[in-house]
Amino acid sequence: MLAREARQLMERRIALLLLLLLVWLSNGAQLLVKTEEAAPTPAPAPMETREKQALYSVIQSFVGGSWNGSVLYPDPCGWTPIQGVSCDLFKGVWYVTSLSIGPVLDNSLQCAPDANFTPTLFELTHLKSLSFYNCFSLNTRPATTIPSSGWDTFAVTLETLEFRSNPGLTGPLPAGLGMVKSLKSLVFVGNGLSGEIPFEIGHLVNLRRLVISTSGLTGSIPTTIGGLTSLLKLDLSHNLLQGNLPTELGNLKTLNLMDLRNNSFTGGLIPSMQSMVSLQDLLLSNNPLLGGTLTTIGWSNMVNLTTLDLSSTGLTGSISDSLLDLKSLRCLALDNNHLSGNVPQNLATMPNLSALYINGNNFTGKLGFSQDFYEKLGRRFASWNNPSLCYSATEISEGHDGPVGVQKCTGDKEANIGLRNKVDRSGPDVNSSLLVSFGIPGNRVGGFWWLVLAQELVATFILVMVL
């Protein structure tokens, strides 16, 4: 009897505990539901109507009047993004920070034949990057020019401005660009511009990259360019620039690359250039009126130089001994000038030299290089068209030819039979064959042209790292 009562008492207690547990769980679930209901889903960030309408207007002015942005992209910074448009949040509101026009990708914004600039462009006051690629063609009617005013709107925001492959973009570079003090990259390549480089360019003290090439510009390099002391890359190649190189270039002590090829500069190399201690690539070829001598510069100060291209620059005199101090130099191009005297035998001792072009000069005497040197450089060595230059037959092993286009020195004995060939020079240079297939001359291929082709990628990488 007592055992039965104790068991019944225990069952009642268990039942009571279960009831209390169910009540507690029920109340907890209701509280959880109420808590979830009290935390609403955050609303998407808004975009100002004025900003949105300005964006639609700007794009429409380039791609054509039939483009209806409000229907196609009602939320351009949200769930209906536009290819080539990027946005950032400022105090909880979306603003356009990047605009790229041109056929970069299949669904990119592409310009219409009547593409033009609209003043509403300068209402996008938060822009950091603005670029146009293959937008203004020769069929653009009427011809398009870069706006001369309004750039002060971007004075503290715009960091990148690029115009690439726009032959229908004509007229001068506007002086107003000098107001955009925040610019770090200014690029004009393959456009139909005219006129001179405005001296106001020198006001862009934050520039890391200045590229104005293949754009038909005339006049001289403004002396104010010496104020761009943060510059890493300067490319003014393939224009119609003339006059002396400004002494102020020596102020660009952080510059890695200076490309002034294919212009009409005069006055020779400037001594201040030796102050450009960070320079790695100095490209001045195809400035036939430049003239001067190699002894103008103390080359030993330019310890970081890896590429020196002075071909077709009208140089006279001899090869400067200080060039031998450039331990990092990989390519030395002195071809098609008026250089004379002996070719220094110590060029072969430069530890990193892998391309040497001295053809088309007036060098005399004997080439004192060893067969190993010729084999190391292969097609990246050229010395022909030096009528009074000869090579030493004693340096060449039996069965191997001397340098192409150079005669054997008179009275030299034949090569020692004991010498043996270490490298088969009859085989093609892989790099050379590849580059020749792209139309690059075979006498100037290999390491040098790989450097030239890679320099844009290297400078961009340095720029991205700096930015």
Side-chain angles (χ1 to χ4, degrees):
M1 180 67 70
L2 291 175
R4 182 181 299 174
E5 290 179 354
R7 183 177 179 179
Q8 292 176 348
L9 179 61
M10 182 63 68
E11 289 176 350
R12 286 198 294 270
R13 287 181 178 179
I14 292 174
L16 180 60
L17 289 173
L18 289 174
L19 179 61
L20 291 174
L21 179 61
L22 289 174
V23 172
W24 180 81
L25 290 174
S26 177
N27 290 338
Q30 293 178 9
L31 179 62
L32 181 61
V33 171
K34 291 180 180 180
T35 302
E36 291 179 349
E37 292 176 351
T41 302
M47 184 179 186
E48 289 185 347
T49 300
R50 180 179 177 181
E51 180 84 357
K52 187 184 297 186
Q53 294 303 319
L55 175 63
Y56 293 153
S57 174
V58 169
I59 295 177
Q60 192 174 57
S61 70
F62 294 119
V63 304
S66 61
W67 187 85
N68 192 333
S70 60
V71 173
L72 296 172
Y73 306 97
D75 187 15
C77 291
W79 59 278
T80 57
I82 305 174
Q83 180 66 46
V85 176
S86 297
C87 306
D88 282 333
L89 281 171
F90 294 90
K91 297 181 179 180
V93 179
W94 286 113
Y95 290 94
V96 179
T97 54
S98 179
L99 177 59
S100 177
I101 307 291
V104 179
L105 301 173
D106 290 341
N107 58 340
S108 296
L109 299 168
Q110 299 192 33
C111 283
D114 59 347
N116 64 90
F117 291 90
T118 175
T120 53
L121 172 65
F122 301 106
E123 294 180 14
L124 301 176
T125 56
H126 290 73
L127 271 182
K128 293 182 178 180
S129 177
L130 178 61
S131 64
F132 299 89
Y133 169 70
N134 199 18
C135 182
F136 308 104
S137 69
L138 293 175
N139 296 324
T140 301
R141 294 291 182 272
T144 306
T145 58
I146 302 173
S148 58
S149 60
W151 295 103
D152 56 320
T153 304
F154 300 140
V156 297
T157 57
L158 194 64
E159 297 180 356
T160 299
L161 178 61
E162 296 191 0
F163 291 84
R164 295 178 182 269
S165 301
N166 296 286
L169 187 66
T170 63
L173 285 175
L177 290 176
M179 297 181 181
V180 191
K181 300 293 182 63
S182 55
L183 271 178
K184 296 181 180 179
S185 178
L186 181 60
V187 176
F188 292 88
V189 178
N191 302 297
L193 303 176
S194 59
E196 301 183 3
I197 301 174
F199 74 90
E200 289 85 356
I201 289 291
H203 298 165
L204 303 176
V205 294
N206 291 305
L207 270 186
R208 303 290 194 273
R209 177 170 59 175
L210 176 59
V211 178
I212 309 176
S213 68
T214 321
S215 291
L217 295 184
T218 57
S220 59
I221 299 177
T223 58
T224 55
I225 204 166
L228 305 181
T229 55
S230 297
L231 207 59
L232 298 174
K233 176 179 180 179
L234 174 63
D235 183 354
L236 303 178
S237 62
H238 297 86
N239 283 296
L240 303 172
L241 300 174
Q242 54 189 337
N244 294 355
L245 299 176
T247 301
E248 289 76 8
L249 285 173
N251 296 338
L252 308 182
K253 301 185 188 303
T254 62
L255 200 66
N256 298 142
L257 179 144
M258 183 165 72
D259 188 351
L260 304 179
R261 292 174 296 162
N262 293 82
N263 282 288
S264 299
F265 293 116
T266 55
L269 302 173
I270 50 176
S272 64
M273 201 175 289
Q274 66 193 36
S275 299
M276 305 170 75
V277 293
S278 298
L279 203 59
Q280 298 177 12
D281 300 286
L282 175 56
L283 310 175
L284 275 165
S285 60
N286 295 317
N287 279 280
L289 304 178
L290 183 63
T293 67
L294 289 169
T295 56
T296 304
I297 297 178
W299 297 101
S300 56
N301 293 332
M302 306 175 74
V303 295
N304 293 300
L305 206 60
T306 60
T307 303
L308 178 59
D309 185 4
L310 299 175
S311 61
S312 301
T313 53
L315 287 172
T316 59
S318 60
I319 295 179
S320 172
D321 289 338
S322 64
L323 280 173
L324 301 174
D325 295 327
L326 299 178
K327 305 303 182 184
S328 299
L329 196 65
R330 297 176 182 174
C331 175
L332 176 60
L334 302 173
D335 51 292
N336 298 307
N337 284 297
H338 307 292
L339 296 170
S340 57
N342 294 327
V343 178
Q345 184 176 350
N346 288 341
L347 286 171
T349 66
M350 299 176 71
N352 291 294
L353 191 66
S354 58
L356 175 62
Y357 305 101
I358 56 174
N359 52 293
N361 282 286
N362 299 313
F363 290 117
T364 58
K366 181 187 296 186
L367 281 175
F369 302 132
S370 67
Q371 180 180 317
D372 287 342
F373 180 76
Y374 296 132
E375 291 173 346
K376 171 187 173 184
L377 269 62
R379 297 184 185 182
R380 296 183 297 275
F381 175 77
S383 57
W384 55 80
N385 290 341
N386 284 281
S388 299
L389 190 66
C390 63
Y391 72 91
S392 173
T394 59
E395 299 290 344
I396 307 299
S397 64
E398 183 181 11
H400 292 272
D401 298 325
V404 176
V406 180
Q407 61 184 348
K408 182 171 59 177
C409 294
T410 304
D412 264 10
K413 296 180 180 180
E414 293 299 331
N416 295 328
I417 298 177
L419 292 177
R420 291 291 181 265
N421 178 35
K422 296 180 180 179
V423 177
D424 183 7
R425 294 180 62 203
S426 63
D429 184 299
V430 176
N431 292 346
S432 300
S433 301
L434 176 61
L435 292 173
V436 168
S437 71
F438 284 95
I440 297 175
N443 65 318
R444 294 292 304 279
V445 294
F448 170 69
W449 280 105
W450 280 119
L451 288 171
V452 172
L453 292 174
Q455 67 184 5
E456 182 72 24
L457 178 60
V458 173
T460 301
F461 174 76
I462 294 174
L463 180 66
V464 170
M465 295 296 293
V466 171
L467 300 182

